[in-house]
Amino acid sequence: MSDRKLAVIVLAAGQGTRMKSDLPKVLHPLAGRPMVRHLMETVAALSPDRVVVVVGPGMEAVSQAVAPAVTVLQAERNGTAHAVLQAQQALAGYDGDLLVLYGDTPCLSLETLSTLIARRRADDNPGVVVLGFEPVDPSRYGRLVMGATGLDAIVEWKDANDAQRQIRLCNSGVMALDGARAWDWLRRIGNDNAAGEFYLTDAVGLARQDGAPCAVVLGREDELQGVNSRAELAVLEAKVQLGLRLRAMDAGATLIAPETVFFSWDTKLGRDVVVWPNVIFAPGVQIGDGVAIKGFCHFEGCVVTGPAEIGPYARLRPGAKIAPDVHLGNFVEVKNSQVGRGAKINHLTYVGDAHIGAGTNVGAGVITANYDGFTKSVTTIGEKVSIGSNVVLVAPVTIGDGAIVGAGSVITEDVAPDALALARGRQSQKSGWAAFFRKTKTDK
Ligand code: UD1
Ligand code: CA
């Protein structure tokens, strides 16, 4: 790309009324992160000199989400041209190209944006280049009116006559403008129209009046889908998930039923990872090479170093770090804990705030009781330890290397290395008592 300067203006002041949400629309997540962050990542790849995000009142959370980009406030929602004008002061002294994007249209590709900017910089020096598209259902989009020498005008659906409404070429809202001339056009835009708003789209007509050519670059409908409702959010989520599944498979993971596996934007799967159906990766998950993940597992904020066998029905919560050759079986929950190489925790267990040494076996139904209602305490289990079934380890407690803890024990004190610890009622037996008992019941 040329060495001309580029400023990106992201419009995000809309309330998102149709979302019926207390959360600003652009903060609704796609694949586990706010949709506007997806857009900001694409923007960053353009290496712009400036980025300004236009937000509405009470949208401090949006400002935080887009930092370090500058945000400016549009106090009243008076239209898209009015919104862009709010960024002028933040761009004082800047006369490079302007790229206007919508915060609620987050799936634009880098290629499309690069094509748009390149067209703006072509020799005919167009004042405005609009990203147009031909949607299957053009419904209420603004229409692009083409003339002999390019784009003549954009007419909003509300203001269009019947002939103009027949035009299939629509305005996506994305446009590139010559920053040296655009502020003048933007200031001259009025609000004498059906919506009583200052339309950014009117910049085209004003540029043409000044003799500046305007142009259209054609985009793909699938990357121009915006979010106005929860249903449209779900459509985009499905599209993003499709991309993430392909990315995982390209990187060498087998997904047995890809459509049932849900990723976050940052999920990392290694080579020869096999994912059985119905698995969810919340944000912050790294799965190393050769990990087998059986069905119905849930991962969040955890690292599994392969090879390992996880699930079915395992839950790895934030801070779980799983060493190679570990087996975690059904209904095993691990939170903020390290599980050492070759350890096996196969059934119905809660491991929280614990260190488990290499080669240790944790029996069925073991619980680390890490919380007394006030503080969380640590359980430390050494190497090659055997914890019997249905043991409660009341933290803080330490089990030494090579120790054995008998089934059913409630362990409240440290256990020495290589010791046997038993903490349960002793068994008693009354010979013949059961037969006697039955007889007293049946003789009556
Ligand atoms: C706009 C275009 C229309 C195009 C359509 C594509 C105008 C006048 N119309 O219409 O030609 O086909 O997008 O989706 O530009 N926003 C602000 N402040 C405002 C108004 C809007 O920040 O005062 C933001 C919104 O948050 C949104 C974007 O600008 O992200 C578009 O606004 P919206 O009201 O959805 O525009 P449309 O009427 O759909
Ligand atoms: Ca819209």
Side-chain angles (χ1 to χ4, degrees):
M1 207 162 276
S2 86
D3 51 4
R4 266 192 71 89
K5 285 187 161 29
L6 176 69
V8 179
I9 301 172
V10 177
L11 305 189
Q15 320 281 342
T17 322
R18 282 205 277 150
M19 297 296 283
K20 303 202 174 87
S21 176
D22 292 338
L23 190 68
K25 175 161 74 174
V26 298
L27 294 185
H28 279 260
L30 285 173
R33 74 172 166 180
M35 69 173 89
V36 72
R37 291 255 18 118
H38 288 261
L39 184 67
M40 296 309 276
E41 185 168 292
T42 312
V43 166
L46 291 166
S47 308
D49 301 285
R50 310 280 194 87
V51 182
V52 182
V53 180
V54 183
V55 300
M59 291 194 189
E60 292 74 21
V62 177
S63 303
Q64 278 168 22
V66 300
V70 173
T71 46
V72 296
L73 177 70
Q74 185 191 22
E76 276 181 83
R77 201 179 175 287
N78 290 330
T80 43
H82 180 256
V84 173
L85 276 168
Q86 308 312 302
Q88 189 181 8
Q89 215 175 355
L91 296 173
Y94 169 88
D95 67 354
D97 292 317
L98 301 176
L99 174 66
V100 178
L101 305 175
Y102 293 172
D104 61 1
T105 308
C107 292
L108 288 162
S109 70
L110 187 60
E111 296 69 41
T112 298
L113 294 179
S114 302
T115 307
L116 190 75
I117 294 162
R119 180 67 191 89
R120 187 5 253 141
R121 292 170 181 175
D123 289 343
D124 60 340
N125 194 24
V128 183
V129 183
V130 172
L131 186 62
F133 70 130
E134 293 188 344
V136 176
D137 171 18
S139 57
R140 293 175 167 259
Y141 288 110
R143 300 303 207 267
L144 302 187
V145 182
M146 302 303 291
T149 57
L151 179 62
D152 271 352
I154 307 179
V155 186
E156 286 304 288
W157 187 86
K158 282 183 186 166
D159 303 287
N161 60 36
D162 286 344
Q164 289 165 334
R165 287 183 181 180
Q166 298 305 311
I167 298 173
R168 299 205 64 86
L169 185 59
C170 292
N171 174 30
S172 70
V174 175
M175 57 177 79
L177 305 99
D178 176 7
R181 294 175 283 175
W183 297 114
D184 180 44
W185 299 324
L186 288 166
R187 274 191 302 270
R188 282 157 56 196
I189 289 172
N191 65 349
D192 181 16
N193 54 51
E197 286 188 0
F198 296 87
Y199 292 162
L200 176 61
T201 46
D202 285 352
V204 171
L206 289 167
R208 299 291 290 128
Q209 275 177 31
D210 285 1
C214 295
V216 175
V217 162
L218 208 57
R220 296 200 329 262
E221 181 169 17
D222 68 329
E223 60 177 283
L224 286 166
Q225 261 155 6
V227 175
N228 294 298
S229 62
R230 308 264 181 170
E232 287 174 359
L233 181 68
V235 169
L236 272 205
E237 178 73 37
K239 177 183 149 63
V240 171
Q241 289 298 335
L242 208 60
L244 292 171
R245 288 167 191 145
L246 290 172
R247 185 174 88 181
M249 292 188 278
D250 278 349
T254 292
L255 308 184
I256 288 173
E259 68 282 8
T260 68
V261 179
F262 292 84
F263 291 101
S264 289
W265 63 280
D266 62 346
T267 308
K268 290 198 178 66
L269 299 191
R271 284 164 69 97
D272 293 317
V273 168
V274 178
V275 184
W276 291 73
N278 299 302
V279 173
I280 292 169
F281 298 96
V285 177
Q286 288 178 41
I287 306 287
D289 295 348
V291 175
I293 300 172
K294 306 286 176 58
F296 300 95
C297 290
H298 192 285
F299 297 85
E300 180 176 6
C302 59
V303 179
V304 180
T305 310
E309 280 182 33
I310 313 290
Y313 299 98
R315 180 174 182 204
L316 275 67
R317 291 174 50 202
K321 292 199 179 65
I322 312 299
D325 304 318
V326 166
H327 292 188
L328 300 181
N330 41 269
F331 304 104
V332 170
E333 174 181 350
V334 181
K335 184 216 76 172
N336 190 32
S337 297
Q338 286 96 52
V339 179
R341 185 182 278 268
K344 292 185 174 55
I345 313 173
N346 273 326
H347 334 265
L348 305 163
T349 288
Y350 173 60
V351 174
D353 304 309
H355 303 264
I356 295 182
T360 283
N361 189 82
V362 176
V366 172
I367 305 286
T368 55
N370 58 332
Y371 186 51
D372 60 10
F374 297 94
T375 46
K376 300 260 166 79
S377 300
V378 171
T379 301
T380 306
I381 303 175
E383 297 187 356
K384 297 195 170 119
V385 169
S386 176
I387 310 283
S389 294
N390 205 32
V391 165
V392 179
L393 300 163
V394 182
V397 73
T398 298
I399 314 294
D401 291 346
I404 296 176
V405 177
S409 295
V410 176
I411 298 294
T412 55
E413 288 164 21
D414 290 355
V415 175
D418 295 320
L420 167 67
L422 296 169
R424 64 191 187 206
R426 200 171 254 287
Q427 185 170 331
S428 69
Q429 188 164 300
K430 294 180 171 47
S431 297
W433 190 92
F436 167 76
F437 177 70
R438 259 192 313 275
K439 195 160 185 297
T440 64
K441 295 290 178 191
T442 50
D443 281 359
K444 276 186 187 160

